Amino acid sequence: MSTLSEAILGAPAGEYVDREVDIAFAHDGTGVLTREALREMGVEQLPHPDRLRLIFDHIVPANTGTTATLQAELREYARASGIALSDAGGGICHQVMSEGVVRPGMVVVGADSHTCTLGALGAFATGVGATDMAAIWASGGTWFRVPETIAIRLSGNLSGPADPKDLALAYVAKLGMEGATYRALEFVGDGAAGISMDGRLTLSNMAVETGAKTGIFYADAVTVRHLADYGTTVSPQVPEDCRYERTIEIDLDDIVPLVAVPHRVDTVREAEEVAGTPIDQVFVGTCTNGRYDDLARFARIVRGKKVAVRTLVIPASRSVLARAIADGILADIVDAGCTIGSPGCGPCLGAHMGVLGEGEVCLSTANRNFKNRMGVGGEIYLSSAATAAASALTGVITVPEAA
Amino acid sequence: MQGTGPAVCLGDDIDTDVIIAGRYLRTKDRSVWAEHAFEDLDPTLAPRIRGAVIVAGRNMGCGSSREQAVVALREAGVVAVVAESFARIFFRNAVNVGLPVIEAAVSCTDGARIAFDLDNGWVEVDGVRYPVCPLSEKMVAILRAGGLAPYWRSSR
Ligand code: SF4
C-alpha cells in the first residue's frame, strides 16, 4: 500500500530510484546555468528534446542588455536543440506547465524550487538545481530518494473571507520552515475535493516553504475537468490505504485570513492582529497567487473603487491575462488604479519591475518574504489576493470581507 | 576526501537569497557571485570565507533552487559547509558543483579549527570528533571528481 509519491516513483519511502522523467524544464535564470553545465559536460545531442521546456519568466521582458543577450543565447539554443520555448510574456513556468502540459502520474522536474506546484495535478514534481538539470537533459532521467510523506488531512469548507492562500499559510506555520525537509506533503481528506485547481496549485506551491520535496493531490473530478479544458483526457487516481509519517488535521472552517510577517514565511499572524500596518505597495501575482481565481477575487473587491497605494497586478500567464480581459475583470482592476505587468515573476525575486526601496513595505501574494528579497531594505508581508485587495483600498493591512 | 579550515559560524535557516541576492543573478560571471556572497547578512563576510569551513545550524540553504548560491561559496574559496541539516536542493547542488557538504551537529565559535574526512565519516572541531551523516558512494565520487560535470565527462 503506497503513498502517491511511492506509487509514482515505484518504490517504498527511503529507497533510491533511478527514474526517467516525463517533463524537465528550466527558466531564463536557471536555463543559462543548465546550458553552461551541458557545455562543460561536452553534451551536444539531447536524447528527448520533446520532454524538455524552456520558459522565460524571471526577468521578462529583459531589463538590461546583459539579460537580453543571455536570453538571446538561450533562445537560440532552444531552437537549435528542438526544445519548446515559452518566450517572454507567456507566463511563469509552473503556471504554463499546469495549463495542459503536466498530467497525473508524471515525474516532473524543474530547475526551480517551486516545481512542487505541479503536484496539484497528481504528478510527482520537484525542483532541482541547474547542473542536475543538465544531467537530466543529457540522460533523460535522474536519481530520487523516495520521500516519506506527511499527510495534510482537510475537512470542512473554506468559508467567510478565507482563501486557499490562508490555508497554505496555516499549514506552513504549523510545519515550520523545515518541518517537512526531504518529505512529501499529501493533501487528502474530504475537504480537498472542494478546492479548485487554482487553489490546489497555491497549496502545492508553498510545500517547499516547509522544506518538502513536493506537495501532491490525488487527481479527482476537479483535475479531470481542468485538463479537459486543455483537451487532455485523464483518469482519477484512487488513494490506497498507506502509512504516513504523520498526519496533520486541518478543519477548513477554522481558517481565517492570515498574513506572514517579515522576514519568515512561518511567522504567521491573523490578519486582524496586524491590521492597520501601513504599506507602500501591494503586489498581486506570482506562481502562488497570480491565477484567474486570485485576479477575480481581487477584482470583485476593488471594483468601482480606487486603490490608496501603488498596486501592481501581474497575471501568472498569458492565458490568465486573456481570460481576465475576456471576463472584464482586468478592466475593473485597471479602473481601480492598478498597474498591470506582463505575465511573469515580476518583482517577486527582486530583480526588476516593482522592487522596493529602503524601508518600504509591500503586501504581496507571493510565497517568500526573506529579508531584502524584493529589494534591499524592503519589508514583505504575505497574504491572499483578497487581503491584498482590501489593503490596497485602505493603504494599511486590512481584513477582507467574506467572499 | 579530506579538508581543513577555520570555522565561520552562521545560524539557522540561512536562505539562498542571503547567500546570493536575486539582483546579482543576471550574469555568468562567477566572480560576481563570490564577491557578493552573504552581502545582505554581513557585508564583511565574503572576504573572510576564503579557505574557511562554514558551520551553520538547521535548514542551511533553504529557499530558491539557485545554483549560484553554492557556486558563490565555492568560488569564494569555502572549503566545506557543515550544518545540522540542509535544505535538499542546496545539498544536491553543492555536491553537483563539488562543494563538500557535511551533515553534523557541531557547536563551535568563529575561528575554531575544523577538519573533516568524508571517506571515513567524521568531522573534528578543535580536535573533538563528531559523527556525520554519511554521503552515498556516488556523491563522494562526484565530489572527488570536482562536481557532476567533470564526473560526467570522466564516466563516459
Ligand atoms: S513567481 Fe517568484 S517564486 Fe514563483 S517562480 Fe517566479 S520568482 Fe520563483
Side-chain angles (χ1 to χ4, degrees):
Chain A
M1 295 294 159
S2 312
T3 65
L4 191 45
S5 300
E6 289 171 328
I8 296 172
L9 292 175
E15 284 195 13
Y16 287 84
V17 293
D18 280 311
R19 272 294 314 248
E20 293 245 306
V21 303
D22 298 293
I23 303 279
F25 65 88
H27 53 64
D28 51 322
T30 52
V32 171
L33 294 186
T34 298
R35 171 77 191 102
E36 285 292 294
L38 285 164
R39 220 191 302 261
E40 226 182 293
M41 286 157 61
V43 173
E44 271 155 29
Q45 281 287 319
L46 304 177
H48 302 289
D50 52 313
R51 299 182 194 167
L52 316 182
R53 298 281 192 287
L54 270 166
I55 299 131
F56 287 5
D57 56 3
H58 270 54
I59 304 196
V60 292
N63 59 342
T64 63
T66 311
T67 310
T69 304
L70 290 173
Q71 290 181 6
E73 285 170 14
L74 209 49
R75 195 176 283 120
E76 172 52 26
Y77 178 70
R79 199 198 52 73
S81 344
I83 302 170
L85 168 73
S86 168
D87 212 323
I92 305 168
C93 52
H94 313 301
Q95 177 61 20
V96 171
M97 291 292 107
S98 76
E99 294 173 349
V101 179
V102 168
R103 297 192 300 274
M106 281 183 161
V107 176
V108 177
V109 289
D112 188 276
S113 61
H114 289 103
T115 305
C116 54
T117 309
L118 296 158
L121 292 144
F124 184 84
T126 194
V128 299
T131 299
D132 253 344
M133 187 55 79
I136 292 166
W137 284 15
S139 69
T142 190
W143 61 271
F144 296 99
R145 182 181 173 281
V146 182
E148 284 78 20
T149 294
I150 297 174
I152 301 197
R153 189 172 298 283
L154 307 173
S155 58
N157 290 292
L158 288 172
S159 57
D163 255 14
K165 178 60 166 291
D166 300 307
L167 171 58
L169 292 172
Y171 87 70
V172 170
K174 263 187 212 279
L175 279 166
M177 267 169 68
E178 53 156 353
T181 301
Y182 302 123
R183 312 291 191 280
L185 302 182
E186 219 169 273
F187 297 95
V188 296
D190 299 340
I195 299 176
S196 69
M197 184 51 69
D198 280 6
R200 292 178 189 193
L201 289 159
T202 301
L203 289 164
S204 293
N205 176 265
M206 292 199 67
V208 71
E209 289 353 299
T210 66
K213 213 163 185 167
T214 194
I216 197 164
F217 280 81
Y218 285 82
D220 64 1
V222 171
T223 324
V224 170
R225 258 200 319 276
H226 170 82
L227 287 169
D229 286 347
Y230 297 94
T232 305
T233 310
V234 299
S235 316
Q237 292 160 322
V238 185
E240 296 178 13
D241 268 340
C242 61
R243 277 175 71 106
Y244 293 121
E245 189 181 84
R246 57 192 271 228
T247 298
I248 291 176
E249 309 272 352
I250 300 182
D251 184 345
L252 300 185
D253 290 286
D254 294 343
I255 300 295
V256 298
L258 298 173
V259 174
V261 303
H263 300 287
R264 287 181 67 102
V265 61
D266 59 357
T267 312
V268 172
R269 307 265 180 269
E270 289 193 11
E272 195 148 342
E273 287 174 67
V274 288
T277 306
I279 49 180
D280 301 292
Q281 171 170 297
V282 169
F283 169 40
V284 178
T286 78
C287 57
T288 318
N289 286 110
R291 284 178 255 282
Y292 181 80
D293 279 6
D294 303 307
L295 267 51
R297 185 82 200 278
F298 180 88
R300 270 200 298 280
I301 296 173
V302 302
R303 178 177 299 148
K305 307 199 172 97
K306 291 284 177 215
V307 295
V309 287
R310 68 175 194 269
T311 300
L312 192 56
V313 177
I314 304 190
S317 73
R318 181 175 288 127
S319 71
V320 169
L321 173 62
R323 204 171 147 202
I325 292 171
D327 288 6
I329 61 170
L330 198 76
D332 294 332
I333 295 171
V334 172
D335 288 345
C338 304
T339 302
I340 309 297
S342 84
C345 301
C348 177
L349 73 158
H352 72 152
M353 208 161 72
V355 297
L356 304 175
E358 180 79 41
E360 283 198 313
V361 177
C362 181
L363 181 64
S364 161
T365 63
N367 43 38
R368 290 193 175 135
N369 57 349
F370 298 147
K371 198 169 179 213
N372 297 340
R373 180 165 165 97
M374 281 180 67
V376 179
E379 297 209 332
I380 308 167
Y381 290 76
L382 304 175
S383 78
S384 70
T387 303
S391 308
L393 293 175
T394 56
V396 298
I397 293 178
T398 303
V399 183
E401 303 207 335
Chain B
M1 176 162 216
Q2 294 145 339
T4 174
V8 169
C9 300
L10 307 174
D12 292 337
D13 300 312
I14 300 294
D15 63 73
T16 51
D17 274 72
V18 311
I19 299 175
I20 185 69
R23 60 187 178 278
Y24 298 120
L25 297 183
R26 239 19 60 159
T27 173
K28 284 195 281 189
D29 182 353
R30 295 169 179 187
S31 66
V32 170
W33 307 327
E35 188 186 329
H36 296 285
F38 293 120
E39 186 171 280
D40 291 345
L41 188 67
D42 175 354
T44 70
L45 213 49
R48 286 193 284 128
I49 56 181
R50 179 156 303 280
V53 174
I54 288 177
V55 180
R58 301 185 63 80
N59 205 25
M60 174 64 183
C62 62
S64 153
S65 71
R66 63 188 64 162
E67 198 164 293
Q68 289 93 336
V70 288
V71 175
L73 300 186
R74 189 197 63 197
E75 295 295 309
V78 170
V79 174
V81 183
V82 179
E84 197 177 331
S85 68
F86 288 91
R88 53 166 286 277
I89 303 178
F90 180 90
F91 190 80
R92 219 173 142 138
N93 283 349
V95 172
N96 286 341
V97 306
L99 175 69
V101 270
I102 301 159
E103 197 176 319
V106 305
S107 55
C108 70
T109 48
D110 277 344
R113 188 180 173 283
I114 310 286
F116 62 89
D117 181 338
L118 290 181
D119 302 290
N120 294 303
W122 54 259
V123 57
E124 277 181 4
V125 180
D126 288 334
V128 181
R129 191 166 285 196
Y130 295 81
V132 309
C133 193
L135 294 175
S136 73
E137 261 174 48
K138 182 161 178 190
M139 283 181 160
V140 176
I142 293 172
L143 280 174
R144 193 173 283 123
L148 185 57
Y151 173 80
W152 176 279
R153 277 200 313 272
S154 65
S155 62
R156 290 291 121 170

